[in-house]
Amino acid sequence: MFQILQEMVSYSFLTRALVVGSLVSLCAALLGVTLVLKKYAMIGDGLSHVGFGALAVASALNMQPLYVTIPVVVIAAFFLLRISENSAIKGDSAIALISSGSLAIGVIVASVNGTNTDLSNYLFGSILSVSKKDEIICIAVSIVVVLIYILFYHRIFAITFDENFAKATGTRTDMYNLLIAVITAVIIVLAMNLVGSLLISALIIFPALSAMRIYKRFSAVIICSAILSVLCAFLGIIVSILGGTPVGSTIVAVDIAAFLVTSLVGKLLER
């Protein structure tokens, strides 16, 4: 097994996939705990579809995908937060509205422009589509996300469990909610190459839910979720390479297996 891993990391594209997959999974898990507890887990699904629509438009205009997609998805995250808070369209309805509309636009633009094959990687993920630039940006963003969680841990904890109380104590809840949404948007764009826009929400949801099956404390859930997410991503990529299966689907399948195992462990601990 060690020899197989040694051979794999000798290929630069596989090394990039492992680095990006692990870091994206780490960040998604950290953000996922807060998003799941705030009942906003499906924001990843909505923003990933916005990202796909932006990628389709960028490809049609022969523009650099990241330069178009990241600003568009960040703006979508901002408006999604505002729509959900200040209008009659709430939560899942706002996400569904933006998600389905963006995906439809992306598919139409891709089919008209004849770029369906190129964009299929962004729908389902591909190891080969992860570039050196993606790796560098992912490392930088991961450092920022981890630092934010360390520096603002208590404020994030407060807005996760009791936003009204946090606001009453002087915490700028709108700013922190927007910060979480923006970081989520950037992580989703970076994960699209590897996991695919149709499966990104699983990276946010499954590790958090798996950790919650075993632990109840917020800090313990975050640590367990991060460890599980990185391990599942690493194992998923390895299995994908060895078995020739789609990388995004394989990572999600491993996440599902981890969820089932932790659910069983949680039941045993309750006895």
Side-chain angles (χ1 to χ4, degrees):
M1 183 64 181
F2 180 76
Q3 185 177 357
I4 294 173
L5 289 174
Q6 197 173 26
E7 289 177 3
M8 286 181 178
V9 297
S10 64
Y11 297 99
S12 60
F13 72 94
L14 293 182
T15 305
R16 286 197 299 269
L18 288 170
V19 171
V20 171
S22 299
L23 292 177
V24 163
S25 299
L26 170 65
C27 295
L30 293 176
L31 296 166
V33 174
T34 295
L35 293 173
V36 167
L37 289 173
K38 287 171 69 67
K39 296 178 171 41
Y40 228 72
M42 291 308 292
I43 189 174
D45 193 55
L47 293 179
S48 66
H49 291 172
V50 172
F52 175 75
L55 276 169
V57 173
S59 297
L61 298 175
N62 293 320
M63 299 174 68
Q64 177 59 246
L66 279 180
Y67 296 158
V68 175
T69 309
I70 289 179
V72 169
V73 177
V74 167
I75 292 170
F78 174 79
F79 280 109
L80 185 60
L81 197 65
R82 290 303 178 199
I83 288 173
S84 182
E85 289 179 351
N86 302 322
S87 76
I89 305 174
K90 298 293 182 182
D92 56 348
S93 298
I95 293 172
L97 186 70
I98 291 178
S99 172
S100 56
S102 301
L103 187 60
I105 292 171
V107 171
I108 290 171
V109 171
S111 61
V112 170
N113 197 51
T115 56
N116 301 51
T117 304
D118 296 331
L119 292 175
S120 66
N121 290 339
Y122 293 107
L123 280 173
F124 305 107
S126 172
I127 291 174
L128 298 175
S129 61
V130 179
S131 66
K132 184 66 177 178
K133 182 184 293 184
D134 293 333
E135 183 181 21
I136 294 171
I137 294 175
C138 191
I139 291 171
V141 171
S142 299
I143 293 171
V144 171
V145 171
V146 171
L147 285 176
I148 286 173
Y149 251 84
I150 293 172
L151 294 174
F152 303 111
Y153 170 79
H154 295 291
R155 291 180 177 85
I156 293 173
F157 175 85
I159 65 171
T160 298
F161 287 98
D162 196 337
E163 190 169 327
N164 291 328
F165 177 77
K167 186 180 293 186
T169 58
T171 301
R172 298 178 63 184
T173 56
D174 291 343
M175 183 188 75
Y176 287 105
N177 281 328
L178 181 59
L179 179 63
I180 290 171
V182 168
I183 294 174
T184 302
V186 175
I187 291 299
I188 284 168
V189 173
L190 295 177
M192 284 179 66
N193 283 346
L194 185 64
V195 182
S197 63
L198 297 181
L199 299 169
I200 288 175
S201 58
L203 295 185
I204 294 173
I205 298 170
F206 275 109
L209 292 179
S210 297
M212 290 174 192
R213 303 282 80 77
I214 303 175
Y215 297 102
K216 303 303 178 185
R217 287 192 305 116
F218 185 66
S219 58
V221 169
I222 286 180
I223 294 170
C224 180
S225 175
I227 294 172
L228 273 176
S229 187
V230 172
L231 287 176
C232 288
F234 190 87
L235 184 58
I237 293 171
I238 298 299
V239 172
S240 171
I241 295 167
L242 295 176
T245 55
V247 61
S249 302
T250 308
I251 292 173
V252 174
V254 175
D255 274 316
I256 293 171
F259 174 74
L260 294 175
V261 171
T262 53
S263 296
L264 179 60
V265 172
K267 290 291 183 182
L268 293 174
L269 291 175
E270 289 175 1
R271 294 181 178 180

